[in-house]
Amino acid sequence: MKIAYISTYPPRECGIATFNTNLKLAIDANFPNRKNLLDGGFVVALNDSENMQEYEYPADVKYVIRQNHQKDYIHAANYINTSNVDACILEHEFGIFGGESGIYILPLINRLEKPLISILHTILKDPSYVQRIIIREIAEQSSKIIVMSKRAVDFLTSIYDVPAEKIQIIEHGVPDLEAPEVNPVKSLSQFKNHRVLLTFGLLSRNKGLETVIMALPKIVAKHPDVMYVVLGNTHPGVIKSSGEEYRDHLKSLAAQLKVSQHLSFINQFVAENELIDYLTATEIYVTPYLNEAQITSGTLSYAIGAGAAVVSTPYWHATELLDNGRGRLFDFKDSDGLADIVNDLLDNEAVLDELKENAYEYGLHLRWPVIGAEYIKVAQEATDSHDFSDKILKNSIVDPEILPKFSLTHVLRLTDDTGIVQHAKYGIPNLKEGYCLDDNARALIMALMAYQRNKSEDAFRLLPIYLSYIHYMQTEDGNFRNFLSFSRQYLDEVGSEDSFGRTIWSLGHLISCAASNSYREFALEIFHKSVKHFKALKYLRGVGNTIIGVSLYLQVFPTDEGMVQELVMLTQPLIDAYENNQSEDWQWFEDKMTYDNAILPLALLHSCEITGNERAKEIALNTMAFLDKLTLSNGYLSPVGNDGWYHRGGKYPVYDQQAIETMAMVLMHYQAYQIFRKPQYIEKMFLSYKWFLGENTLRAPLYDHETKGCCDGLLPTGINRNQGAESTLAYLISHLTVLKAFELEYEYNKMDQQIKLC
């Protein structure tokens, strides 16, 4: 039995990494004739760093996935499929995978040709829509789902609709170790001549350690020899965001309560063979978590396995594991209740010893070799019954392999501390042309999308630059200028309606997905100041861009009736324009098709999503179909050229094709899929995107792999080699949209296969 394990892995400090290491060793222990580390399979390790050399992994790690790199997941699936393993074990925790709630794992498991056993470490009682989808999809792709408690089974069947027959309980394993005859920990100053209360594990605020500290005055008043020992490092994620703030807060609290001499921190990671020493040197082990939403606790299992007397808050795992006299429970944040229980136990040695004996006896069947044997049985059954032909996924509509690696290199080249320069000479910023609001609004959208995608530090640093430019260009009455010279001189008094609309779009996008609350508040201030100008908009593209921004705003503030009415008011001119110009053979808003055409049906799609306006939806579908027929009928995108535009009854202009046309097509089809859930829209979205990569009239790529910029357009004579902000941002926004769509692969590929089968 050879197994591929998908998990975090030491030396990365992570509870899942420790669990997976123990599981792998436990399974291997059931095959005593194995001589080589790799005889039992290998590990696919999840990295929380872009640096592939961040961790010095052992030899059994054969592939590394960078958490936020979608292609790594695809390549990992290919690696597993071409290996000689019999089955695959997935350790699932939302936070260790990339994308929203770890959705990047889905393309990997959808491509696996080996039977999959998935171990769910977190099962939420109130999952988000995406979290529920992820768990259901994992269950569908898995031969068996492993959970560690009865409550987890209840949640999976009632909340996630996972069939009960697909679920199996295998409790959390514990080390196969006995207490040492001579315990070196008892000679440590924190333990010597003290009755120790212990908590161990990675520190973070949700651990509730302040509850124990607040109980200490009442405990030490009766038992002055008590010492509360906190064993473990601060969680690496906490260190990155707030350093040792939580540990310092606990020390400060102890000082205020005058119990500092009864609190000791051992700030180190402890191996399991040492952990047994600490647990058996302890009088009482405490897990004071702050709420019930913990379906599994490895530290609690270890304490029971070591035969410790455990006192805990009643989170889900604790209520089951400490049942039948294996521990005592106190309410969340109830320091008085905790103190009473501890004092009672310390006063009654017989009761304390009984708790320890009950825990030890129960822990015997949790020891890792026993647990490993159970997993082997599950893996063998999965292998025996596996039929890869049952898999629906064969070929994905979106092929991530052809996507260039996302890069902000050219955007960073074009951006200074004022904003993004609008033009470039080839790949070099053309400072003579200065800046414009249009491009800085687009740049804000792009940077937000990039930050959402992978928490890019570069993208985060760009956000205040573009937002500051927008603020600088807003006039006292709430309108916006557009152009600014390189010397920061205003070049107009009032900008175009297009630039106004694109700015409202960018502000709406920021409000709907702010990287920080202060950015959202700033964007709201600018947004609300501009609302008075909505009613003065006359041109359809300015109106359309504004509609998108208002719709995004209303996703966050759906009860703002005044803004709903603004959206209804803005939508009507598009409806009227269509009614006044459409005919049986001309399903459009004007008597000519000019620039940025797909923005108009895109705007109606956003509007109808918020307002439910059926006529707006119908017009959006009609105009989309008309636009698709004109631009996609050759099997590739050929957008309306800016060289003369397309007049009703006239000749279709092939050139000058612009990148913003393509961006609008990509966004339009993605939004259509979001509303109608039809795979054809994903196909058209991806086909449109490939215009940048060379599937176009000239069969020439506009994306420049050297500069990471995008050329400005297709001319009759070839490619416009200048790589300004508009085209580069259009490419990057399109690229990020395709990556976002790829997250939904599990959904649209199934639909597509089912449609073909019908």
Side-chain angles (χ1 to χ4, degrees):
M1 176 61 64
K2 291 179 180 286
I3 296 172
Y5 301 83
I6 305 170
S7 175
T8 54
Y9 208 63
R12 179 176 174 182
E13 291 182 11
C14 167
I16 304 295
T18 302
F19 179 94
N20 191 73
T21 302
N22 287 328
L23 176 59
K24 186 175 184 299
L25 290 171
I27 290 174
D28 288 345
N30 281 271
F31 298 93
N33 294 328
R34 285 181 177 169
K35 299 178 181 178
N36 190 295
L37 182 67
L38 299 178
D39 286 349
F42 58 83
V43 176
V44 174
L46 273 297
N47 244 25
D48 56 354
S49 169
E50 296 293 296
N51 181 6
M52 299 290 270
Q53 279 72 50
E54 177 79 9
Y55 303 108
E56 293 185 15
Y57 288 116
D60 51 345
V61 172
K62 288 299 180 184
Y63 198 89
V64 176
I65 296 174
R66 291 165 294 179
Q67 181 174 332
N68 293 311
H69 283 249
Q70 283 174 289
K71 282 188 180 180
D72 286 0
Y73 293 83
I74 308 302
H75 295 158
N78 295 336
Y79 185 87
I80 294 169
N81 288 338
T82 55
S83 74
N84 64 351
V85 298
D86 302 296
C88 188
I89 288 179
L90 169 70
E91 307 283 3
H92 182 266
E93 174 70 62
F94 292 110
I96 66 174
F97 304 107
E100 183 181 354
S101 297
I103 200 169
Y104 287 4
I105 190 59
L106 297 188
L108 189 162
I109 64 173
N110 269 274
R111 285 167 170 74
L112 279 181
E113 298 171 8
K114 310 286 185 176
L116 175 66
I117 297 105
S118 295
I119 305 169
L120 304 185
H121 292 267
T122 295
I123 304 164
L124 300 173
K125 186 178 181 180
D126 297 300
S128 68
Y129 173 81
V130 172
Q131 288 164 341
R132 186 169 181 266
I133 285 291
I134 290 169
I135 295 298
R136 290 180 67 176
E137 186 64 19
I138 289 173
E140 184 168 334
Q141 298 297 328
S142 300
S143 299
K144 190 67 76 173
I145 292 291
I146 305 299
V147 295
M148 303 177 204
S149 67
K150 296 173 185 175
R151 182 67 65 96
V153 177
D154 293 340
F155 284 0
L156 286 176
T157 54
S158 63
I159 299 170
Y160 298 87
D161 299 321
V162 176
E165 60 271 17
K166 230 181 191 182
I167 309 167
Q168 182 168 334
I169 297 176
I170 301 179
E171 291 190 77
H172 197 298
V174 301
D176 188 20
L177 297 170
E178 296 291 342
E181 290 185 14
V182 179
N183 192 336
V185 167
K186 290 184 177 180
S187 63
L188 298 178
S189 60
Q190 296 97 328
F191 286 77
K192 191 173 184 179
N193 300 321
H194 289 113
R195 305 185 80 182
V196 172
L197 313 180
L198 177 71
T199 299
F200 82 88
L202 296 172
L203 268 66
S204 61
R205 278 198 171 271
N206 65 330
K207 301 298 184 182
L209 304 187
E210 51 268 55
T211 304
V212 186
I213 294 172
M214 292 172 71
L216 283 178
K218 193 172 178 179
I219 294 170
V220 300
K222 197 168 184 182
H223 299 279
D225 59 344
V226 162
M227 175 70 72
Y228 179 39
V229 175
V230 179
L231 173 63
N233 294 331
T234 299
H235 194 288
V238 174
I239 289 288
K240 285 181 182 178
S241 62
S242 52
E244 292 288 5
E245 181 268 337
Y246 182 52
R247 193 184 297 268
D248 292 341
H249 161 70
L250 295 174
K251 290 178 180 178
S252 176
L253 177 62
Q256 292 172 29
L257 297 173
K258 297 181 171 54
V259 291
S260 294
Q261 69 274 26
H262 297 279
L263 172 66
S264 179
F265 289 96
I266 302 178
N267 188 7
Q268 66 184 60
F269 179 80
V270 178
E272 285 180 357
N273 58 340
E274 297 177 87
L275 185 56
I276 187 72
D277 296 345
Y278 282 94
L279 286 169
T280 53
T282 296
E283 289 288 341
I284 298 173
Y285 181 75
V286 188
T287 56
Y289 300 156
L290 295 176
N291 60 67
E292 65 179 0
Q294 179 119 355
I295 208 80
T296 305
S297 170
T299 59
L300 179 65
S301 297
Y302 285 0
I304 290 293
V310 179
V311 178
S312 175
T313 49
Y315 54 90
W316 295 323
H317 193 203
T319 57
E320 291 187 31
L321 196 54
L322 302 185
D323 198 13
N324 296 322
R326 293 189 291 271
R328 298 279 292 273
L329 300 175
F330 65 97
D331 287 339
F332 301 108
K333 301 181 182 180
D334 182 7
S335 55
D336 283 338
L338 170 60
D340 290 341
I341 291 174
V342 169
N343 282 332
D344 180 59
L345 291 174
L346 294 178
D347 286 339
N348 294 278
E349 286 289 337
V351 175
L352 191 63
D353 289 343
E354 184 181 2
L355 282 183
K356 292 180 179 180
E357 181 63 26
N358 291 343
Y360 177 82
E361 288 298 325
Y362 190 81
L364 290 175
H365 90 278
L366 301 180
R367 296 202 174 188
W368 273 117
V370 178
I371 297 298
E374 292 191 52
Y375 276 95
I376 291 169
K377 184 179 178 182
V378 172
Q380 190 62 60
E381 290 172 353
T383 303
D384 292 343
S385 62
H386 181 61
D387 183 3
F388 175 62
S389 64
D390 289 340
K391 282 252 186 180
I392 289 178
L393 177 63
K394 301 297 182 188
N395 295 298
S396 179
I397 295 173
V398 174
D399 180 5
E401 292 298 320
I402 73 168
L403 271 65
K405 181 181 177 181
F406 179 79
S407 173
L408 290 170
T409 299
H410 193 54
V411 168
L412 293 169
R413 188 180 298 122
L414 292 172
T415 302
D416 60 18
D417 59 354
T418 299
I420 191 165
V421 174
Q422 63 175 321
H423 293 304
K425 200 70 176 171
Y426 299 97
I428 307 302
N430 185 354
L431 304 182
K432 295 178 180 179
E433 302 292 337
Y435 317 86
C436 70
L437 187 62
D438 288 285
D439 289 335
N440 280 275
R442 288 190 195 95
L444 180 60
I445 293 170
M446 184 282 301
L448 283 163
M449 293 175 73
Y451 182 70
Q452 279 184 295
R453 177 117 237 97
N454 58 14
K455 297 296 182 285
S456 162
E457 292 182 7
D458 283 337
F460 190 75
R461 284 193 290 267
L462 290 171
L463 291 175
I465 296 174
Y466 304 139
L467 186 56
S468 177
Y469 183 90
I470 290 170
H471 176 249
Y472 187 66
M473 299 304 281
Q474 189 169 38
T475 60
E476 286 299 317
D477 69 348
N479 211 326
F480 297 95
R481 295 181 173 91
N482 191 6
F483 297 109
L484 188 72
S485 71
F486 185 65
S487 59
R488 295 187 179 180
Q489 303 300 309
Y490 294 126
L491 299 179
D492 54 7
E493 290 301 315
V494 178
S496 66
E497 289 191 10
D498 282 8
S499 65
F500 179 93
R502 288 176 183 129
T503 303
I504 299 304
W505 179 354
S506 70
L507 293 170
H509 193 98
L510 175 53
I511 291 164
S512 71
C513 62
S516 75
N517 197 48
S518 61
Y519 287 175
R520 174 177 281 140
E521 290 174 358
F522 193 19
L524 281 167
E525 182 180 313
I526 300 171
F527 181 92
H528 284 301
K529 191 175 179 181
S530 68
V531 171
K532 69 180 80 169
H533 297 282
F534 289 1
K535 61 180 178 293
L537 295 172
K538 298 177 183 178
Y539 299 104
L540 295 185
R541 284 155 187 79
V543 170
N545 282 293
T546 303
I547 285 173
I548 298 169
V550 173
S551 299
L552 292 170
Y553 167 92
L554 286 168
Q555 288 180 0
V556 182
F557 301 103
T559 58
D560 187 339
E561 289 299 327
M563 199 57 66
V564 171
Q565 291 308 309
E566 292 285 350
L567 180 57
V568 171
M569 178 270 293
L570 286 163
T571 303
Q572 195 58 45
L574 287 185
I575 294 174
D576 291 343
Y578 173 81
E579 303 288 12
N580 293 334
N581 287 282
Q582 65 91 19
S583 64
E584 188 175 341
D585 61 350
W586 185 261
Q587 295 288 301
W588 200 245
F589 304 90
E590 302 161 302
D591 63 356
K592 62 180 178 296
M593 301 184 78
T594 57
Y595 65 96
D596 215 2
N597 293 296
I599 286 296
L600 302 180
L602 172 62
L604 289 181
L605 289 171
H606 276 281
S607 177
C608 72
E609 185 180 29
I610 299 295
T611 65
N613 187 324
E614 288 298 321
R615 184 55 179 156
K617 184 189 293 184
E618 183 182 357
I619 294 169
L621 287 170
N622 290 344
T623 52
M624 278 179 62
F626 181 66
L627 186 57
D628 287 346
K629 185 177 180 181
L630 284 172
T631 61
L632 293 173
S633 57
N634 292 327
Y636 57 85
L637 178 65
S638 179
V640 174
N642 282 196
D643 184 15
W645 294 330
Y646 181 41
H647 295 259
R648 190 196 308 240
K651 184 179 179 182
Y652 188 84
V654 176
Y655 304 102
D656 173 18
Q657 294 179 22
Q658 299 289 308
I660 59 166
E661 300 287 337
T662 304
M663 180 189 84
M665 290 288 285
V666 168
L667 292 170
M668 177 185 73
H669 287 118
Y670 179 68
Q671 179 65 13
Y673 178 78
Q674 291 285 79
I675 295 173
F676 303 111
R677 273 350 204 215
K678 292 184 178 180
Q680 69 190 59
Y681 295 121
I682 296 295
E683 291 179 4
K684 292 176 180 178
M685 175 208 71
F686 194 51
L687 183 60
S688 298
Y689 166 78
K690 289 190 286 187
W691 178 89
F692 291 108
L693 306 184
E695 293 200 21
N696 51 49
T697 308
L698 292 180
R699 288 296 189 265
L702 287 90
Y703 177 72
D704 187 331
H705 289 267
E706 181 182 355
T707 66
K708 314 303 181 188
C710 179
C711 297
D712 281 350
L714 290 182
L715 304 171
T717 54
I719 297 172
N720 182 340
R721 290 283 289 119
N722 295 331
Q723 297 173 15
E726 179 182 286
S727 56
T728 296
L729 293 167
Y731 166 75
L732 291 173
I733 289 171
S734 300
H735 184 99
L736 289 163
T737 302
V738 169
L739 290 177
K740 184 70 176 172
F742 184 60
E743 294 178 9
L744 304 173
E745 178 192 58
Y746 67 91
E747 181 180 82
Y748 56 69
N749 274 341
K750 285 181 189 172
M751 295 177 186
D752 189 49
Q753 292 294 330
Q754 288 163 0
I755 290 168
K756 289 174 181 176
L757 289 172
C758 294

